Amino acid sequence: MKTPIILLFIFISSLVFSQSNTYRPQLRLSPHFGVGWAIPPFIDGSNSNLVLKSNPLKNYIIGEITTSSGANKQIYKMTNTIGIDANYLVSKQWSVNLGVNRAMHINYVKDPAPVRISNNLEYDSWYYLYKYTSYFIGLKHYRNAKYFQCNIHYTTKVKDESGDGVVINGNGLSGQSLYKRNNVLIFSPEYGIGGVSSFDFPIELSIGLHIPTANVLRKQATFIRNGSNAGTNNLNFTQAAVWLRVRIPFLVWSRNPKATKPVIVTKPAPQKTVEYEGKKVTTGEKIILKSLQFEQAKDILSPSAMSELDKVEQLMQQSPTMIIEIIGHTSDEGDRNSNIELSLKRAKSCKEYLLKKGIKSNRIQVRGMGPDSPISRTDKSLNRRVEMQIIRM
């Protein structure tokens, strides 16, 4: 049981110590909530002519029982999960996950021979409910707003809230627990997408599996008909499930990236220039894109900003070997780490616009400087700017 965790730590360590200083370490906390479908229990009815049946189309999201008045009663307890992840970036695309998760499974099972207790009372289904908490560790790979991660969960004490059945007038179902297992390992692969929200905070949506290494509960259900044992079913429950999750990641800590070193030219070459708005520009020179300003806390391109980017696109079409860097800046209003994140989003918005115009992705680099390079102390709107630097002609 300890071997997978040890191997995972070795892999993480190799990632951490093999990285260069080209990425920006970050720590995020991501509260999450999910709903899902619990995989049905395995039912062994070899000792009985009566075998409980699961209903996958109705099962595990909502249960239903019959009350003493004869009316159907629905149990609004979805199979769900809630928890929080701590996500630490160890390279440009890889990060380490640590977290805690609380899950609840409801299993809804149909009786093959419904029991009519009286004229207005019938039992035709039974439900089994259990909860558990798990702690997990894993790896996450994030690229182009999509990610894949795999976590290993270690479950603690399982709380069994299932009923033991109902027997009235010698008819019904009698249940008992045979065993309950704690400390189970669960493998949880997950695929998701990020950046699906237009609000001020990002949202991640994902679909994932819980694949346990052992059963968690074993229950025995005995059919009682006219006061006699009419057969026994053994039910084996696992924590296997399919989940749909929603995460809201919050940036907790981030280290400012080091300045990009200038490109070293190994062969002497004549200095090239291009003309932008009547001004000659050389390699390494920065140009303030004057019409490319943003509203406070926004990264949406305005019509004037798009017109400015059209000029950049024309320049790059005229010089097909040109490589540029787009640098986003913000004013000093608000949290510095949030401003660095916002300035990077602004630069990425510009890049996405140029990509749609047909410019290849490898010709555009992006960087977010936040409030660290102001050009005005009095008019802060001037600091909410975007610059273009020519890396190579």
Side-chain angles (χ1 to χ4, degrees):
M1 185 164 59
K2 295 181 179 179
T3 303
I5 298 177
I6 295 174
L7 293 175
L8 185 60
F9 272 117
I10 293 174
F11 181 53
I12 292 171
S13 300
S14 65
L15 280 175
V16 173
F17 291 109
S18 65
Q19 302 306 317
S20 64
N21 292 325
T22 59
Y23 73 98
R24 175 160 49 106
Q26 295 176 349
L27 176 64
R28 282 181 168 85
L29 292 180
S30 302
H32 71 257
F33 174 78
V35 295
W37 179 68
I39 304 301
F42 174 74
I43 303 174
D44 180 7
S46 57
N47 296 325
S48 173
N49 293 325
L50 299 175
V51 181
L52 292 170
K53 299 290 185 181
S54 61
N55 185 349
L57 296 180
K58 183 180 180 182
N59 207 357
Y60 319 117
I61 300 298
I62 186 168
E64 188 175 35
I65 60 175
T66 306
T67 65
S68 59
S69 64
N72 290 333
K73 179 183 179 182
Q74 294 178 332
I75 308 164
Y76 292 96
K77 290 185 176 179
M78 294 184 298
T79 297
N80 60 62
T81 174
I82 189 170
I84 188 168
D85 305 0
N87 184 264
Y88 182 72
L89 192 69
V90 296
S91 76
K92 288 183 178 180
Q93 297 174 345
W94 286 95
S95 57
V96 179
N97 296 329
L98 291 172
V100 61
N101 184 72
R102 177 72 168 172
M104 177 175 71
H105 289 333
I106 181 169
N107 296 270
Y108 179 74
V109 183
K110 297 285 290 183
D111 195 319
V115 178
R116 181 166 292 280
I117 305 301
S118 63
N119 290 333
N120 64 349
L121 179 59
E122 181 181 77
Y123 287 93
D124 62 356
S125 57
W126 314 92
Y127 78 93
Y128 296 86
L129 174 68
Y130 62 93
K131 303 176 182 178
Y132 64 92
T133 300
S134 61
Y135 301 92
F136 61 86
I137 184 172
L139 287 175
K140 181 177 183 179
H141 183 265
Y142 198 101
R143 185 176 184 181
N144 297 331
K146 299 179 180 64
Y147 66 88
F148 175 81
Q149 66 180 13
C150 187
N151 296 321
I152 299 178
H153 292 250
Y154 179 76
T155 66
T156 56
K157 186 176 181 180
V158 176
K159 185 177 181 181
D160 182 11
E161 296 186 359
S162 306
D164 291 328
V166 177
V167 179
I168 301 177
N169 297 328
N171 291 284
L173 190 75
S174 175
Q176 63 174 327
S177 296
L178 298 182
Y179 72 77
K180 179 174 64 175
R181 177 177 290 158
N182 302 314
N183 307 326
V184 175
L185 285 181
I186 301 174
F187 292 90
S188 178
E190 191 172 338
Y191 176 80
I193 57 176
V196 297
S197 173
S198 60
F199 302 102
D200 291 337
F201 53 86
I203 291 179
E204 296 178 351
L205 299 179
S206 66
I207 182 170
L209 300 175
H210 273 194
I211 306 172
T213 57
N215 294 335
V216 63
L217 289 174
R218 185 176 176 86
K219 311 274 294 187
Q220 188 178 76
T222 302
F223 296 96
I224 306 297
R225 299 295 187 267
N226 299 320
S228 300
N229 185 335
T232 299
N233 287 188
N234 290 324
L235 291 79
N236 295 304
F237 296 90
T238 74
Q239 290 127 324
V242 180
W243 298 109
L244 294 174
R245 281 191 175 93
V246 177
R247 285 185 175 84
I248 305 177
F250 293 95
L251 183 65
V252 177
W253 173 83
S254 176
R255 190 175 71 189
N256 190 33
K258 294 184 178 180
T260 303
K261 296 181 179 180
V263 176
I264 301 175
V265 180
T266 56
K267 295 182 179 180
Q271 188 80 348
K272 294 182 179 180
T273 62
V274 293
E275 188 171 306
Y276 186 82
E277 292 190 327
K279 179 184 177 182
K280 290 186 177 181
V281 184
T282 61
T283 303
E285 188 173 351
K286 293 180 182 178
I287 307 169
I288 297 177
L289 304 177
K290 297 179 181 179
S291 299
L292 223 165
Q293 290 185 318
F294 294 87
E295 296 181 18
Q296 185 177 352
K298 301 293 184 181
D299 61 346
I300 301 173
L301 295 174
S302 65
S304 61
M306 294 179 187
S307 298
E308 185 79 27
L309 289 172
D310 288 339
K311 299 176 185 177
V312 176
E313 182 260 336
Q314 292 175 7
L315 178 66
M316 298 189 73
Q317 295 289 7
Q318 295 170 4
S319 303
T321 60
M322 179 184 291
I323 297 176
I324 67 169
E325 182 177 40
I326 298 176
I327 308 168
H329 299 268
T330 67
S331 60
D332 59 359
E333 298 153 291
D335 177 67
R336 178 177 176 276
N337 288 334
S338 299
N339 281 329
I340 290 175
E341 192 80 8
L342 176 61
S343 64
L344 183 60
K345 287 183 178 180
R346 289 174 174 174
K348 287 182 177 178
S349 296
C350 298
K351 179 177 180 179
E352 290 297 326
Y353 182 83
L354 292 173
L355 294 182
K356 292 178 181 178
K357 289 287 186 176
I359 304 299
K360 293 184 179 180
S361 178
N362 60 1
R363 298 181 61 195
I364 307 172
Q365 301 175 13
V366 293
R367 182 157 47 114
M369 294 298 295
D372 293 346
S373 299
I375 59 174
S376 176
R377 298 295 180 184
T378 56
D379 188 356
K380 295 186 177 182
S381 65
L382 296 177
N383 298 328
R384 295 192 291 269
R385 71 194 189 279
V386 174
E387 295 176 331
M388 176 182 68
Q389 183 176 25
I390 299 176
I391 303 299
R392 192 178 74 188
M393 292 290 189

